[in-house]
Amino acid sequence: MGGFKIVCLLSVISALIVSVLLFLLCEDRLLLVPVTPVVPDRWWGKGEGGNVDDEKISEFLISVSEDTISELRSRIISDLPRLSPALEDSAFNYGFNTKFLKDIARYWLEEFDWQAQETLLNSFPQFITNIDGLDIHYLHVKPSPVSGQKVVPLLLVHGWPGSIVEFLDIIPLLTAGNEEVALEIIAPSIPGYGFSSAPGKPGFNSKHAAQIFKKLMVRLGHEKFYCQGGDWGSFITTNLATLFPSHVLGLHVNMGGVISPGGMMKNLLVLVPGMKYLLVDKEDMEKVSSLGSFYASLLRESGYFHQQATKPDTVGVGLSSSPLGLAAYILEKFSTWTNPDWTRDNTGGLEGGRHPIKRDRMLTNVMLYWVTNSITSSMRFYKENFPLLMDRDISRIPIEMPVGFADFPKELYRAPKYLISGKFPHLIQYTRMPRGGHFAAMEEPQLLAEDIIKFINTVEEKANFVAKQEF
C-alpha cells in the first residue's frame, strides 16, 4: 500500500512540475531571452559599394511618360482576346473572374485618369535618399500644429500588394491629430516596391528593411519615433522595435506578424477541449470557435505565399508582361482580403459601390507596380523573409516599449490577444474594430487613424507624467 501512495505522490508531483513548466512556457518565462542580434551594414546596391557617406536628400516628383502610358494601353488591348472564358457560376472561387476583368479593362482604358492620380500623389511631399546602396523613396508630410499640440514623428510602413497609395486618405487625419498631438508622417516605399530601388543581391529581408528605415528616420533628425504598420509593415516595424529599441517610443500594428513561443503554445492548447476558456478573453472567443474553417480558409488564400516564397521570379515574368494579369493578381487580394465572402460574388465585391476602397485608388496602386516594374522585386521579399519567419530568436525577444494593436474583423489572419501578449508584454491598447479587413488604412482610415492617435496620446501622457514625477 505504501508503494501505491509513493507512486500516486510522484504522479502528482510530476503533474505539478509539468503544469508549472507548461505555464512558464506559455507565459514566455521558461526559455532564456536571446541576445538581440546585430544586423551588419551591407551594400545592397549593384556592384561592390559606393559612397556610403552620401546622405543627400532630393525632392521627388512622379512623372510617367506618355510612351509608358501608351504601351500600357496597347498591352491591355492585346491581353483582352487571350483571356480564358470564366466558368459558369464560378464567381471568384477560381480567382479573378475574367468576365468582370473585361469590365476592369474597359474602365482602365476609357475612364481611369492617371494624370489626375499622378497629380494627387504629387500633392504629398516626396523625397529620395540613398541608404546602403538603395534609393529610398518616401512621403514626408509635416503637420501645421495648433496651440497645445505636440508634434511627434511616425514611421508608417505599407505591405504587399500595397504601396504608399495605402496612406493617401489616412495621412491628412494623422497630421491633423487631436487636441494633444499631431503626427509628422514618414511613409517610405519598401526597397523593391514602387519608387524605392530593388536590392541587387540576395538576402534582403525585413530585418534589413528595419535597419534602413531606422537610418532614414535618424537621417531626418528623429532619434526617437513611433512606428506603425500592417502586413509586411507589421513585420518590419516589429523587427525595428526589437532590434533598435532605443529609437522606438511606441509600436502600433494592425496585423500580428511575430508570435512568441508562448503564443504558439497557447494556440495549440486552445485546440484541447475546454482550454480556450482558460486562455481566451471572452471578446476573442469568436476567433477560436471555428479554427477548422479558419485554417481551411487560410490554406485557400495562401497559395500566393508559397509561390512567392519559393519561385517569385517565375510568376513575375507573366505579371510584369501583362497589365491585366497584374491587375487580376492584385485586385483579387483587394476583393478577398477585404471580405472573404466575396469569393461567391461575380464581381468580387468590386462593383456597385460596395467596396470601401474606390476603384481609382485600387488601380492607382496597380499602376505603381506597373510603371516601376516592381512586382517581381516586391514578391522576392517573401522568399527573403521565409527563413526569417522560422527565426525563433526574434520571436523570443519581448518588445519593452508600449504597443497598440488594432484587430479588424475581416483581417486574413486575426490575432487574439493571448497570441501576441508574449511578444508584446506591454500591450497597452488592443482595439476590436467594428468593421474592416486587411487594407485597414484604405478601408477604414478614420477608425485606424483614431486608434493610432489614441495610442500615441496615451504613451505621451504617461511619459509626461513620469517626467513630472522625476522632476
Side-chain angles (χ1 to χ4, degrees):
M1 193 67 180
F4 177 73
K5 290 182 178 179
I6 291 174
V7 170
C8 289
L9 180 61
L10 289 175
S11 297
V12 171
I13 293 173
S14 298
L16 286 172
I17 292 173
V18 171
S19 298
V20 169
L21 291 176
L22 189 59
F23 171 79
L24 292 174
L25 179 60
C26 287
E27 295 301 312
D28 290 295
R29 298 178 186 175
L30 183 61
L31 302 176
L32 292 176
V33 175
V35 175
T36 301
V38 175
V39 183
D41 288 327
R42 183 178 173 186
W43 181 264
W44 292 104
K46 295 179 180 179
E48 296 304 316
N51 184 4
V52 294
D53 297 322
D54 183 7
E55 297 189 358
K56 179 183 177 182
I57 295 174
S58 303
E59 292 184 357
F60 183 86
L61 283 177
I62 298 171
S63 180
V64 178
S65 69
E66 286 295 327
D67 288 344
T68 299
I69 299 302
S70 178
E71 183 198 25
L72 167 68
R73 294 177 59 85
S74 296
R75 286 177 181 258
I76 293 173
I77 293 169
S78 65
D79 278 352
L80 282 167
R82 293 189 56 80
L83 293 179
S84 299
L87 296 174
E88 295 180 5
D89 303 319
S90 61
F92 264 53
N93 280 304
Y94 286 73
F96 205 102
N97 189 290
T98 51
K99 181 179 180 181
F100 179 61
L101 187 57
K102 293 178 180 178
D103 291 341
I104 294 292
R106 182 202 59 77
Y107 182 88
W108 204 350
L109 289 168
E110 298 175 7
E111 299 182 49
F112 178 73
D113 186 349
W114 166 249
Q115 195 65 48
Q117 299 305 313
E118 189 177 77
T119 300
L120 173 63
L121 287 165
N122 284 331
S123 69
F124 292 82
Q126 299 173 62
F127 302 87
I128 201 159
T129 189
N130 193 278
I131 302 176
D132 295 344
L134 299 176
D135 286 336
I136 304 302
H137 166 259
Y138 61 98
L139 306 182
H140 191 176
V141 187
K142 298 181 180 180
S144 300
V146 299
S147 178
Q149 276 186 321
K150 178 182 179 181
V151 176
V152 295
L154 175 66
L155 174 68
L156 195 58
V157 186
H158 66 85
W160 186 94
S163 65
I164 56 166
V165 174
E166 291 184 49
F167 303 133
L168 300 186
D169 292 323
I170 198 172
I171 285 177
L173 301 174
L174 294 173
T175 54
N178 61 10
E179 293 179 355
E180 287 79 25
V181 296
L183 308 185
E184 177 181 339
I185 303 301
I186 296 92
S189 298
I190 299 170
Y193 288 68
F195 295 99
S196 284
S197 58
K201 301 173 176 64
F204 185 91
N205 59 37
S206 57
K207 289 195 295 187
H208 303 109
Q211 182 185 47
I212 280 181
F213 290 165
K214 184 267 294 184
K215 291 181 178 181
L216 172 65
M217 295 300 286
V218 171
R219 182 172 295 184
L220 295 175
H222 300 304
E223 289 288 340
K224 293 181 180 293
F225 49 89
Y226 289 89
C227 296
Q228 203 287 329
D231 195 82
W232 279 130
S234 170
F235 281 87
I236 292 170
T237 54
T238 299
N239 282 335
L240 199 160
T242 303
L243 298 168
F244 311 103
S246 63
H247 291 278
V248 181
L249 296 167
L251 170 68
H252 185 284
V253 293
N254 55 280
M255 193 181 87
V258 183
I259 310 300
S260 70
M264 297 298 289
M265 179 57 68
K266 289 177 183 177
N267 224 24
L268 293 174
L269 288 175
V270 296
L271 299 174
V272 178
M275 286 298 292
K276 64 181 181 181
Y277 299 105
L278 298 175
L279 297 171
V280 184
D281 291 349
K282 181 176 67 174
E283 298 86 352
D284 285 337
M285 280 295 176
E286 57 161 323
K287 299 169 193 170
V288 299
S289 60
S290 56
L291 284 175
S293 59
F294 163 74
Y295 285 119
S297 174
L298 191 62
L299 181 64
R300 183 182 67 242
E301 294 301 328
S302 59
Y304 81 98
F305 186 98
H306 184 75
Q307 177 68 41
Q308 293 174 193
T310 53
K311 305 293 178 63
D313 285 26
T314 302
V315 68
V317 173
L319 297 180
S320 61
S321 301
S322 166
L324 285 187
L326 179 67
Y329 197 67
I330 291 177
L331 295 183
E332 184 252 312
K333 307 307 179 194
F334 275 84
S335 165
T336 310
W337 294 1
T338 301
N339 188 338
D341 294 336
W342 281 340
T343 56
R344 299 191 291 270
D345 186 273
N346 288 331
T347 68
L350 300 173
E351 184 80 332
R354 289 170 294 164
H355 203 288
I357 306 172
K358 294 179 180 179
R359 181 180 291 186
D360 277 1
R361 191 72 92 238
M362 287 188 273
L363 280 177
T364 299
N365 181 67
V366 173
M367 285 289 290
L368 251 61
Y369 280 91
W370 181 262
V371 300
T372 60
N373 195 22
S374 60
I375 186 62
T376 302
S377 54
S378 74
M379 295 189 298
R380 286 176 185 157
F381 204 55
Y382 283 79
K383 183 171 178 62
E384 306 295 11
N385 278 287
F386 190 61
L388 188 61
L389 297 178
M390 305 297 111
D391 185 349
R392 302 318 324 160
D393 279 356
I394 287 289
S395 67
R396 284 166 53 199
I397 302 173
I399 287 181
E400 297 302 332
M401 73 282 299
V403 176
F405 190 91
D407 170 49
F408 287 87
K410 296 296 184 180
E411 176 59 79
L412 184 66
Y413 181 72
R414 297 182 71 187
K417 196 173 181 180
Y418 74 83
L419 189 63
I420 59 176
S421 58
K423 179 65 180 176
F424 303 146
H426 301 287
L427 183 65
I428 65 169
Q429 182 174 302
Y430 184 95
T431 308
R432 297 172 178 91
M433 293 294 184
R435 60 189 178 275
H438 185 74
F439 301 98
M442 300 178 82
E443 298 174 49
E444 299 292 342
Q446 188 72 45
L447 285 178
L448 183 59
E450 289 174 356
D451 201 64
I452 295 169
I453 293 168
K454 179 183 176 182
F455 166 71
I456 292 177
N457 198 63
T458 300
V459 178
E460 288 292 314
E461 285 182 349
K462 184 176 181 180
N464 291 337
F465 176 78
V466 171
K468 289 178 180 179
Q469 293 295 105
E470 292 177 348
F471 180 79

